[in-house]
């Protein structure tokens, strides 16, 4: 038996809706407490002796550093694996990898391609599995984004979030957040790169509104956010996307259409002059550095919750 998760059933975090609204609020509030203690140099070693394996099948800066630093700060340790540096790169089945790794560590984070791949891993894992980004979802990033919004502007319920650009992993995770947490998501993407109606299903206008014109999508928004035109794994489409997305660059005019106190977010890495102007991302409404930092704090709360449950 693994020593992990002694207090309850095995839980994974493969997409945002694996958690209830209440659980998301708990993790956000716990992250604020953990962040506050960290800023005051108070130790918070709730995962002493626990070990996290991180499996990266795509590149990363923020996800790796935040999980690795976070686990050490909780008193635990990490093992860093890549496809090329492990037997995954030599065709060992993901199911066998899951069976083996999860007998040796307490928690696994994976960044990979198809959602089905992380689901297959989780189905054969004895310990909690965290989605560190797949083609379909990026739930840890959205936890950090919600925390950042709450810190700057208070509760997100009833607010409007404008997503400008590709219907990618981030946008679908924002959609799950809108459904779960009770805010409205405006989405504008060029033809050919819009949300897939089959994945979206029936959504009321209180949850999702789609716009042809990105400026209209920004109108009245409390938060404007975007992402790279080409996500990892889609690089062969680079040139076609560069042409298609030319008008989907978040600029000062779009921010002026949003609420006067709207914040700008970007999960990073950013390409100034493509999906966002330097004026916006480096301007006074941008909270992207707090957003990046909050990956650290919210993932500490997430790992603690998956292994120990609520700490109230
Ligand atoms: N935002 C994010 O996940 O960044 P990395 O790709 O650097 O991990
Ligand atoms: N949508 C981007 C996010 C990177 C953190 C990608 O998948 O590459």
């Amino acid at each position: 038996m693994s020593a992990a998760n002694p207090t309850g059933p095995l839980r994974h975090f493969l997409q945002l809706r694996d958690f209830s609204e209440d659980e998301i609020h708990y993790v956000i509030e716990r992250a604020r407490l953990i962040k506050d203690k960290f800023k005051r140099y108070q130790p918070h070693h709730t995962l002493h002796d626990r070990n996290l394996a991180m499996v990266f099948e795509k590149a990363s800066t923020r996800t790796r550093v935040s999980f690795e630093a976070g686990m050490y700060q909780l008193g635990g340790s990490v093992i860093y694996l890549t496809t090329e540096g492990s037997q995954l790169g030599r065709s060992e089945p993901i199911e066998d990898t899951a069976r083996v790794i999860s007998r040796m560590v307490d928690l696994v984070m994976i960044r990979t391609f198809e959602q089905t791949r992380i689901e297959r891993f989780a189905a054969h894992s004895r310990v909690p599995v965290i989605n560190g980004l797949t083609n379909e979802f990026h739930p840890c990033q959205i936890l950090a984004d919600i925390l950042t919004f709450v810190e700057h502007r208070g509760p997100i319920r009833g607010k409007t979030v404008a997503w400008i650009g590709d219907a990618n992993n981030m946008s679908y995770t924002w959609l799950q957040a809108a459904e779960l947490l009770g805010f409205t998501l405006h989405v504008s993407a060029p033809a050919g790169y819009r949300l897939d109606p089959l994945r979206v299903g029936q959504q009321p206008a209180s949850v999702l509104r789609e716009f042809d014109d990105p400026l209209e999508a920004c109108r009245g928004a409390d938060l404007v956010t975007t992402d790279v035109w080409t996500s990892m794994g889609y690089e062969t489409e680079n040139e076609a996307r560069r042409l298609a997305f030319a008008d989907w660059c978040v600029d000062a005019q779009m921010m002026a259409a949003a609420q006067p106190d709207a914040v700008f977010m970007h999960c990073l890495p950013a390409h100034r002059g493509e999906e966002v102007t330097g004026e916006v991302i480096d301007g006074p409404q941008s909270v992207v550095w707090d957003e990046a930092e909050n990956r650290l704090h919210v993932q500490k709360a997430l790992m603690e919750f998956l292994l120990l449950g609520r700490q109230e």
Side-chain angles (χ1 to χ4, degrees):
M1 277 291 290
S2 165
N5 201 36
T7 57
L10 177 59
R11 296 285 302 273
H12 302 298
F13 188 59
L14 306 184
Q15 47 183 299
L16 197 71
R17 69 167 172 238
D18 286 343
F19 283 8
S20 66
E21 176 183 6
D22 190 47
E23 288 169 335
I24 293 170
H25 288 311
Y26 168 79
V27 169
I28 299 293
E29 286 310 307
R30 185 72 179 168
R32 296 180 80 178
L33 180 142
I34 291 172
K35 178 176 182 176
D36 181 60
K37 285 180 74 177
F38 182 68
K39 296 287 182 187
R40 289 190 283 116
Y41 281 68
Q42 287 185 3
H44 184 81
H45 291 165
T46 50
L47 296 187
H48 180 69
D49 271 353
R50 299 299 115 194
N51 189 244
L52 166 73
M54 307 188 296
V55 181
F56 282 94
E57 302 210 271
K58 290 175 177 172
S60 170
T61 297
R62 277 144 290 269
T63 303
R64 177 179 178 186
V65 175
S66 54
F67 269 106
E68 189 159 338
M71 194 58 178
Y72 284 124
Q73 288 162 16
L74 290 171
S77 58
V78 298
I79 296 167
Y80 173 72
L81 291 163
T82 61
T83 315
E84 304 76 30
S86 70
Q87 299 290 4
L88 281 168
R90 297 180 63 251
S91 304
E92 181 164 21
I94 195 89
E95 292 84 356
D96 292 357
T97 307
R99 289 179 176 110
V100 171
I101 292 179
S102 72
R103 282 179 180 239
M104 299 178 179
V105 303
D106 301 283
L107 191 59
V108 180
M109 185 240 71
I110 309 183
R111 168 167 287 195
T112 188
F113 292 87
E114 299 79 19
Q115 185 73 10
T116 51
R117 192 162 165 79
I118 197 169
E119 285 168 357
R120 284 164 55 206
F121 190 104
H124 295 84
S125 174
R126 288 184 167 193
V127 301
V129 178
I130 297 172
N131 182 345
L133 181 147
T134 56
N135 292 349
E136 286 84 354
F137 297 113
H138 197 3
C140 292
Q141 182 67 54
I142 296 297
L143 286 181
D145 294 5
I146 303 293
L147 169 58
T148 309
F149 188 87
V150 169
E151 285 179 337
H152 282 270
R153 293 288 178 265
I156 199 163
R157 174 168 286 280
K159 302 290 187 187
T160 298
V161 174
W163 173 267
I164 306 303
D166 192 22
N168 64 11
N169 41 16
M170 283 293 296
S171 67
Y172 283 104
T173 316
W174 271 116
L175 179 58
Q176 291 196 345
E179 286 184 85
L180 279 161
L181 303 179
F183 61 86
T184 306
L185 182 67
H186 288 183
V187 174
S188 179
Y193 300 95
R194 294 186 180 143
L195 291 166
D196 176 356
L198 289 175
R199 282 190 68 188
V200 170
Q202 291 290 326
Q203 295 292 351
S206 58
V207 171
L208 175 66
R209 292 183 62 196
E210 295 186 72
F211 297 81
D212 293 338
D213 181 350
L215 188 67
E216 289 307 313
C218 291
R219 216 168 280 291
D222 301 284
L223 160 57
V224 177
T225 185
T226 186
D227 191 6
V228 290
W229 289 344
T230 305
S231 286
M232 291 181 280
Y234 298 84
E235 288 80 1
T236 56
E237 301 174 14
N238 244 332
E239 279 318 303
R241 285 171 173 268
R242 208 180 286 280
L243 294 174
F245 282 90
D247 292 333
W248 275 262
C249 173
V250 177
D251 58 13
Q253 196 190 359
M254 290 188 201
M255 291 306 295
Q259 295 287 355
D261 67 346
V263 290
F264 172 78
M265 289 191 198
H266 189 313
C267 66
L268 307 175
H271 299 85
R272 289 168 177 77
E274 293 189 9
E275 73 274 8
V276 60
T277 62
E279 185 184 10
V280 169
I281 196 169
D282 299 316
Q285 288 170 280
S286 174
V287 294
V288 298
W289 312 121
D290 290 342
E291 182 188 1
E293 177 190 331
N294 279 339
R295 293 289 302 276
L296 173 71
H297 308 298
V298 89
Q299 289 162 190
K300 284 201 271 183
L302 171 67
M303 291 191 286
E304 190 189 81
F305 178 68
L306 287 171
L307 288 181
L308 303 178
R310 288 181 193 248
Q311 298 298 289
E312 290 163 329

